[in-house]
Amino acid sequence: MKVGAPSRVPTATLQKLLDHRIKHIVVIDKENRSFDSMFGRFRGADGATRGWLPNGLSVPLIRQPDHLYLDIDHGYAAAKRAYDGGRMDGFSELKGSVQGGQDMALSQFWPQDIPGYWTYARRFTLDDHFFSTVMGPSFPNHLVTIAGDPVRVVDNPSGENVGQSWGCDSPAGTEVLAVARYTGAQYYTPPCFSIPSIPEELSRAHVTWKYYAPPQGWSGYLWSSLDAIRNIRYGPLWRNVVPTWRFFHAARTGRLPHVSWIVTSLPKSDHPNFSICVGENWTEHVVNSVMRGPDWRTTVIILTWDDFGGFFDHVAPPREGFVGPGFRVPAVIISPYSRAGLVDHRIYGFDSILRFIEQRFHVAALGRSDAHARSILDSLDLKQAPLPPLRLKPQRCPASDYHIPYRP
């Protein structure tokens, strides 16, 4: 993302502080929430409590329930329809928007609905202009978090037999929509790519990393993004893609790698139509495990969501081309060196995470996007007294929240 001023290049003193104080970076990538749907009511943030209809009318955003009945369409075509040339008034027209007679695309949580997420935002740093990279759904935006370049991909893979695999493991004949850089022409390509990735660069620099994800055949394997990088999926580095549950032991015992990505199963991912209560509890389990372990004092946790999920956001993303940026998503920077209680209004994106990893571990940028991105280093104050851990007690979710069938 090129919009906005790039982050400062760390001075020698700042780089020394960064190298000394930050040893571990953890990226928690959750599912399908716009900024306004999560933090539109957050004091001091650029949020909204009203949305727009195609006829120009402004309506209140209704209170969103713990879980929906259906997933809302949030593919590339749906995102463009919601964007509507920057008017941001097409969300109510998306497939699945109206559920039970109410417009769920124009809905948001209240603070008491997601108390853990709001506590993290109040105690640490909330970035309220953090844009998804691609104006589309999960697959391309997850890809950006490890490759920087989504290879012009704008949608989720599709095909007769696509089920639990979206990358190189997807069935023969699977294709994904892509858009030409300069003309906007659409074409289809297999979802298995030979492109550079940050995990490969880290390995060359002898920096340890793990991608924690559900194994093949399990719910959530769709988001195991390294499955889409051919040279990793069929090479020795695939051994660093490990089951999600291993993260908790590594965090508690002080054995975190330098860089961790972590994704989980559908029911725990915050993905509609699943329970936000269950998803938030899983996130707190991840963060608590770091805070209970010896690595907390040298860790930055980046909690973010991959795409807008069909939910309203009032800030039109700055246009840079046919692919993106996409809509705003929440991002909370959780660290002893977070700027406590700050709402950071500067522009960030998934490539900002890559830029931060590259700065900390002295590896070259993958391409122009991450090279020119504002690093999330700007959400940290490495000179402050470290913040103590804040371990949260999970909510008591209704038993029914754990038995919700997925309805696309």
Side-chain angles (χ1 to χ4, degrees):
M1 185 184 300
K2 294 178 287 186
V3 294
S7 57
R8 65 193 186 278
V9 176
T11 63
T13 300
L14 182 58
Q15 187 68 56
K16 187 175 181 180
L17 275 174
L18 178 59
D19 293 347
H20 176 69
R21 296 200 163 179
I22 305 303
K23 307 293 185 184
H24 309 280
I25 299 171
V26 177
V27 181
I28 306 174
D29 204 353
K30 304 215 72 182
E31 294 297 312
N32 295 37
R33 302 289 172 175
S34 71
F35 185 88
D36 279 340
S37 72
M38 296 282 284
F39 292 105
R41 293 176 170 268
F42 195 90
R43 184 181 297 273
D46 185 5
T49 58
R50 299 182 69 86
W52 300 299
L53 299 176
N55 60 9
L57 290 179
S58 169
V59 296
L61 300 181
I62 63 173
R63 186 175 182 178
Q64 190 175 141
D66 171 77
H67 55 274
L68 306 186
Y69 181 74
L70 298 169
D71 190 12
I72 301 172
D73 188 6
H74 52 283
Y76 178 59
K80 290 199 299 180
R81 187 172 187 178
Y83 176 71
D84 192 20
R87 288 178 285 273
M88 307 296 281
D89 61 5
F91 294 85
S92 64
E93 296 184 324
L94 303 183
K95 181 181 178 181
S97 170
V98 178
Q99 302 182 26
Q102 293 186 300
D103 191 343
M104 289 301 165
L106 297 176
S107 69
Q108 64 186 175
F109 291 114
W110 290 13
Q112 56 266 46
D113 302 325
I114 47 173
Y117 289 142
W118 273 58
T119 298
Y120 289 142
R122 289 183 177 122
R123 177 64 178 273
F124 298 102
T125 304
L126 175 66
D127 292 346
D128 70 347
H129 282 78
F130 191 105
F131 292 87
S132 57
T133 300
V134 177
M135 187 168 279
S138 295
F139 181 71
N141 283 301
H142 275 277
L143 197 56
V144 172
T145 66
I146 47 95
D149 182 1
V151 287
R152 318 308 301 165
V153 169
V154 295
D155 225 323
N156 292 336
S158 61
E160 291 184 7
N161 298 312
V162 171
Q164 303 231 349
S165 298
W166 274 351
C168 298
D169 287 322
S170 57
T174 300
E175 293 184 319
V176 61
L177 180 66
V179 173
R181 182 184 302 272
Y182 299 112
T183 66
Q186 297 185 6
Y187 61 96
Y188 286 87
T189 183
C192 185
F193 309 103
S194 296
I195 56 175
S197 67
I198 195 68
E200 291 174 287
E201 294 299 314
L202 294 175
S203 291
R204 292 189 187 100
H206 306 289
V207 177
T208 59
W209 63 272
K210 288 283 192 300
Y211 197 104
Y212 296 91
Q216 185 177 6
W218 291 41
S219 169
Y221 184 66
L222 294 170
W223 304 313
S224 188
S225 294
L226 289 172
D227 176 38
I229 309 297
R230 181 181 287 107
N231 27 319
I232 291 185
R233 180 62 187 92
Y234 300 124
L237 293 182
W238 186 248
R239 66 177 178 270
N240 286 3
V241 180
V242 298
T244 302
W245 61 264
R246 290 192 185 180
F247 177 87
F248 303 102
H249 178 74
R252 288 192 299 265
T253 59
R255 297 179 181 178
L256 282 176
H258 293 115
V259 184
S260 303
W261 291 265
I262 181 167
V263 297
T264 188
S265 63
L266 268 165
K268 300 174 184 177
S269 70
D270 296 345
H271 193 297
N273 54 309
F274 293 103
S275 165
I276 197 71
C277 179
V278 173
E280 184 181 62
N281 282 354
W282 178 87
T283 303
E284 292 174 8
H285 184 29
V286 172
V287 176
N288 285 347
S289 66
V290 176
M291 291 183 171
R292 288 194 177 100
D295 291 332
W296 159 248
R297 58 184 175 269
T298 57
T299 295
V300 174
I301 301 171
I302 304 161
L303 169 62
T304 189
W305 284 255
D306 66 342
D307 66 64
F308 77 116
F311 295 106
F312 174 80
D313 193 79
H314 79 283
V315 177
R319 305 309 301 142
E320 292 180 358
F322 297 103
V323 171
F327 301 116
R328 289 190 307 168
V329 293
V332 186
I333 313 303
I334 303 171
S335 172
Y337 299 101
S338 296
R339 298 178 184 268
L342 174 73
V343 178
D344 190 343
H345 301 306
R346 287 169 286 205
I347 293 176
Y348 298 99
F350 297 132
D351 41 17
S352 299
I353 301 173
L354 293 179
R355 181 82 293 243
F356 180 58
I357 294 171
E358 292 157 359
Q359 287 175 335
R360 169 55 189 90
F361 296 109
H362 305 271
V363 298
L366 296 170
R368 293 182 61 188
S369 179
D370 51 317
H372 292 279
R374 176 182 288 279
S375 168
I376 60 100
L377 175 62
D378 289 337
S379 286
L380 303 175
D381 182 357
L382 298 175
K383 297 180 180 179
Q384 72 183 20
L387 302 175
L390 178 67
R391 293 185 290 272
L392 300 183
K393 183 178 181 180
Q395 298 183 75
R396 186 183 297 274
C397 306
S400 59
D401 282 1
Y402 296 90
H403 303 284
I404 300 172
Y406 177 51
R407 298 183 179 93

